[in-house]
């Protein structure tokens, strides 16, 4: 019995070591993020294109959907986010990047029509993001090469949290989640900022950093924090929690509200009105009728709305006058005309 237990222990340990030091060709067979190193036709590589200008807007699709389905795809909500950002900020280059291989294939499908529409917008660029290359030489490269990201409880979410920070570290610009609708230009916003989602947390769904100064200090500190205290078992542990912790130190405050009145070594924290005007627990307000006062407030105060996709991904509006429908119709008009029933 002891020999059997010893044999089982040895095999288990060797298996763990093999997983951690897996070559790319073998990794693709078992890793939850297998598509990141899988073979296949890809969109143009970000790293082989002209370096993005600092006034760039980045969206990242970190799932393996385009690989498993054999083609790059997008849903109406995501397409609306990209169109609205590009339309409202015509002097910014807008990048929609996929971490898995795939090409636009069938333009007769809903996804194909949406992608075709986006590619015809002059400041929209569809690219492939080489995730291992993105992390190479950074504080968090070891989290990937060791398999910690891949074996985390939420590998796609974790990869997304890390990728946005490294993109801003290397290129500067604005990162946005794919469940926003942008309603006001970014020109009046600071060069380095984050936005509180509530009185208890600063979210990382929108971040902006320049290539010098306080923005880079913020990004580097977040990556150092991730490397030193990585946790793969909690949804927000490697995202908003890291951003909030770092900013409390940079601003030398204990309360989120105190950040609004401070210049945190050149980094600005905006109140929730700017991008999260409706609290996540009230996400249904975006889709329900009877919130006209909320709509007026949003249009007066905010640069964009965040739809809290984790909770609302299957929601549809019950009225033509819902906040989401009204804003989408005017701020992503081409996407809305193609797929209005999905709003």
């Amino acid at each position: 019995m002891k020999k059997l237990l010893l044999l089982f222990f040895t095999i288990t340990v060797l298996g763990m070591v093999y997983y951690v030091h897996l070559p790319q060709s073998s990794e693709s067979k078992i890793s939850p993020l297998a598509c990141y190193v899988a073979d296949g036709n890809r969109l143009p590589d970000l790293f082989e294109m002209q370096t993005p200008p600092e006034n760039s807007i980045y969206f990242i699709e970190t799932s393996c959907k385009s690989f498993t389905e054999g083609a790059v795809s997008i849903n109406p909500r995501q397409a609306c986010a990209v169109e609205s950002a590009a339309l409202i900020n015509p002097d910014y280059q807008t990048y929609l990047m996929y971490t898995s291989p795939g090409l636009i294939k069938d333009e007769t499908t809903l996804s194909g029509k949406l992608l075709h529409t986006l590619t015809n917008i002059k400041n929209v660029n569809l690219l492939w993001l080489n995730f291992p290359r993105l992390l190479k030489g950074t504080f968090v490269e070891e989290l990937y090469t060791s398999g910690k990201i891949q074996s985390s409880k939420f590998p796609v979410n974790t990869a997304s949290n890390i990728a946005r920070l490294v993109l801003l570290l290397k290129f500067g610009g604005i990162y946005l989640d794919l469940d926003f609708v942008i309603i006001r230009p970014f020109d009046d916003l600071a060069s380095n900022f984050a936005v509180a989602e509530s009185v208890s947390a600063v979210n990382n769904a929108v971040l902006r950093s320049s290539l010098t100064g306080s923005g880079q200090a913020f990004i580097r500190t977040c990556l150092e924090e991730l490397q030193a205290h990585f946790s793969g078992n909690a949804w927000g542990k490697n995202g908003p929690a890291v951003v909030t912790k770092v900013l409390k130190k940079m601003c030398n405050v204990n309360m989120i509200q105190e950040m609004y009145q401070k210049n945190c070594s050149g980094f600005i924290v905006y109140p929730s009105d700017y991008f999260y005007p409706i609290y996540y627990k009230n996400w249904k307000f975006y889709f329900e009728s009877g919130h006209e006062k909320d709509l007026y407030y949003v249009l007066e105060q905010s640069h964009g709305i965040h739809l809290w996709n984790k909770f609302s991904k299957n929601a549809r509006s019950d009225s033509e006058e819902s906040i989401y429908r009204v804003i989408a119709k005017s701020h992503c008009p081409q996407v809305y005309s193609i797929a209005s029933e999905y709003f």
Side-chain angles (χ1 to χ4, degrees):
M1 185 64 180
K2 289 183 179 179
K3 290 183 178 180
L4 286 173
L5 287 173
L6 180 61
L7 178 62
F8 175 77
F9 177 77
T10 303
I11 292 173
T12 301
V13 170
L14 287 173
M16 290 173 65
V17 172
Y18 177 71
Y19 175 83
V20 170
H21 296 285
L22 219 51
Q24 288 189 352
S25 59
S26 298
E27 180 189 1
S28 62
K29 297 178 182 178
I30 65 171
S31 168
L33 303 180
C35 63
Y36 290 14
V37 293
D39 293 328
N41 293 321
R42 298 179 171 89
L43 294 168
D45 187 344
L46 170 68
F47 289 100
E48 295 176 2
M49 306 296 289
Q50 184 176 354
T51 302
E54 199 168 327
N55 62 333
S56 293
I57 300 168
Y58 303 107
F59 296 93
I60 313 174
E61 218 292 340
T62 49
S63 75
C64 284
K65 190 174 180 181
S66 68
F67 175 68
T68 56
E69 295 186 355
V72 170
S73 64
I74 196 168
N75 65 46
R77 186 175 295 187
Q78 294 172 326
C80 180
V82 177
E83 183 188 359
S84 66
L87 181 66
I88 304 302
N89 298 279
D91 295 329
Y92 288 63
Q93 288 299 307
T94 301
Y95 294 87
L96 171 59
M97 294 176 289
Y98 292 80
T99 51
S100 64
L103 297 174
I104 304 172
K105 290 187 177 180
D106 188 355
E107 293 184 1
T108 65
T109 65
L110 175 60
S111 174
K113 291 176 182 177
L114 294 172
L115 288 167
H116 180 70
T117 296
L118 294 179
T119 57
N120 284 332
I121 300 173
K122 65 178 182 178
N123 60 327
V124 171
N125 309 269
L126 268 64
L127 298 173
W128 173 57
L129 180 61
N130 185 331
F131 187 79
R133 184 173 178 179
L134 176 69
L135 269 55
K136 192 168 184 62
T138 69
F139 301 104
V140 290
E141 181 181 10
E142 184 271 338
L143 295 178
Y144 180 74
T145 57
S146 68
K148 291 178 183 177
I149 296 174
Q150 299 92 314
S151 60
S152 66
K153 189 175 181 180
F154 307 101
V156 173
N157 182 59
T158 300
S160 176
N161 285 327
I162 291 173
R164 68 191 68 181
L165 292 171
V166 180
L167 262 176
L168 297 183
L169 177 74
K170 292 191 171 183
F171 301 112
I174 298 172
Y175 167 81
L176 289 169
D177 274 0
L178 278 162
D179 55 347
F180 273 103
V181 185
I182 301 306
I183 61 180
R184 185 167 287 120
F186 295 149
D187 291 338
D188 65 335
L189 296 173
S191 299
N192 303 286
F193 75 81
V195 185
E197 70 168 62
S198 67
V199 297
S200 59
V202 180
N203 207 314
N204 66 338
V206 53
L207 296 170
R208 186 176 196 173
S209 173
S210 61
L211 281 172
T212 58
S214 60
Q216 288 296 288
F218 163 72
I219 297 295
R220 288 176 181 275
T221 306
C222 286
L223 292 172
E224 289 171 350
E225 178 69 23
L226 276 165
Q227 172 62 26
H229 303 290
F230 179 80
S231 174
N233 296 320
W235 175 265
K237 185 71 174 179
N238 302 310
V242 170
V243 169
T244 302
K245 181 178 179 179
V246 169
L247 284 171
K248 281 184 175 180
K249 290 181 179 178
M250 284 184 66
C251 301
N252 192 28
V253 300
N254 294 317
M255 304 293 291
I256 300 295
Q257 301 96 312
E258 297 177 78
M259 296 180 185
Y260 309 153
Q261 308 301 323
K262 301 193 74 170
N263 184 317
C264 306
S265 302
F267 199 91
I268 302 299
V269 180
Y270 289 117
S272 58
D273 294 352
Y274 278 66
F275 284 92
Y276 312 109
I278 292 179
Y279 187 46
Y280 80 91
K281 289 185 178 180
N282 298 325
W283 64 265
K284 290 182 180 179
F285 286 10
Y286 285 127
F287 303 90
E288 297 174 339
S289 59
H291 297 289
E292 289 79 8
K293 290 183 179 179
D294 296 306
L295 175 58
Y296 177 80
Y297 179 79
V298 166
L299 293 175
E300 283 292 309
Q301 301 292 327
S302 302
H303 283 72
I305 60 171
H306 187 239
L307 298 170
W308 307 109
N309 197 61
K310 184 170 183 264
F311 307 100
S312 72
K313 61 183 177 181
N314 296 317
R316 299 287 186 273
S317 297
D318 64 6
S319 167
E320 290 291 328
E321 302 306 316
S322 71
I323 295 174
Y324 187 30
R325 273 189 177 272
V326 170
I327 290 178
K329 189 174 184 178
S330 59
H331 292 85
C332 59
Q334 294 186 75
V335 169
Y336 188 86
S337 69
I338 295 170
S340 60
E341 66 272 25
Y342 291 91
F343 292 86

